[in-house]
Amino acid sequence: FAILTGTASLAIVAAYPFMKRITWWPQVVLGLAFSWGALMGFAVILGTLGPAAFALYAGSIAWVIGYDTIYAHQDREDDALIGVKSTALLFGESTQTMLTLFYALAVLLIGASIRLSAGGWLAWAGLLAFAAHLVWQIRAIRIGDPALCLRLFKSNRDAGLLLFAGLVADAVLRANG
């Protein structure tokens, strides 16, 4: 099952490089590809994909759309000149509002996955820290400042580590408790 699940991702991975020429939403396809690991984890460990897996996958996609939009703001002028599309160009001055929407969706869907997986308080603490980090990004973004956009994009490593630490700590506590 896990091998078939992994193989199913190949079409999305192959399609992604062409999406900037086709759609204003290449970040969605990037999210579909990058977030496939959420499905793979469930496929490998549980041998099945249920609502918790799909909630985590969808939440991760929303997060990728947000952070890659921030990244795309670094070179939006070059993108516009050469004719490639992105959510940075699509959202423009509405980026902060759209980040709020996608990051809120990410937190809600990842929270649904935690709930469906009967996660404990440490998982919720990790999600809260993750959410706080995303709020900081939304408040800090200045789309006309490429250096800041790069810094905020890179800070998503820390956001992911906060969430991951909470999930791992919760799993360890539940396994030993």
Side-chain angles (χ1 to χ4, degrees):
F1 181 73
I3 292 169
L4 291 174
T5 302
T7 302
S9 72
L10 295 177
I12 296 168
V13 171
Y16 171 69
F18 305 102
M19 291 299 112
K20 284 188 171 191
R21 300 273 180 208
I22 297 169
T23 179
W24 290 102
W25 293 89
Q27 284 72 20
V28 172
V29 182
L30 182 68
L32 291 168
F34 276 15
S35 302
W36 202 267
L39 299 179
M40 289 302 302
F42 278 86
V44 168
I45 300 300
L46 301 177
T48 187
L49 298 176
F54 289 112
L56 182 60
Y57 181 56
S60 180
I61 292 167
W63 179 32
V64 171
I65 292 168
Y67 75 63
D68 200 58
T69 296
I70 293 171
Y71 184 79
H73 271 291
Q74 292 180 97
D75 53 9
R76 66 189 168 138
E77 286 141 15
D78 293 337
D79 286 351
L81 283 173
I82 62 172
V84 297
K85 301 172 183 172
S86 73
T87 51
L89 291 170
L90 179 64
F91 299 161
E93 295 299 322
S94 298
T95 292
Q96 213 167 21
T97 300
M98 297 305 288
L99 284 179
T100 301
L101 173 75
F102 283 106
Y103 280 172
L105 190 57
V107 170
L108 289 171
L109 288 165
I110 294 168
S113 181
I114 291 170
R115 174 83 169 103
L116 290 165
S117 300
W121 71 272
L122 287 170
W124 291 105
L127 181 64
L128 181 63
F130 173 77
H133 189 90
L134 298 183
V135 167
W136 167 74
Q137 288 181 30
I138 293 164
R139 294 176 59 102
I141 185 106
R142 301 292 174 262
I143 63 172
D145 184 344
L148 175 61
C149 290
L150 180 60
R151 194 180 85 179
L152 293 174
F153 165 76
K154 287 181 176 181
S155 79
N156 279 281
R157 178 206 61 183
D158 300 334
L161 285 173
L162 291 167
L163 179 60
F164 180 71
L167 296 173
V168 169
D170 188 67
V172 168
L173 181 66
R174 289 196 288 160
N176 294 321

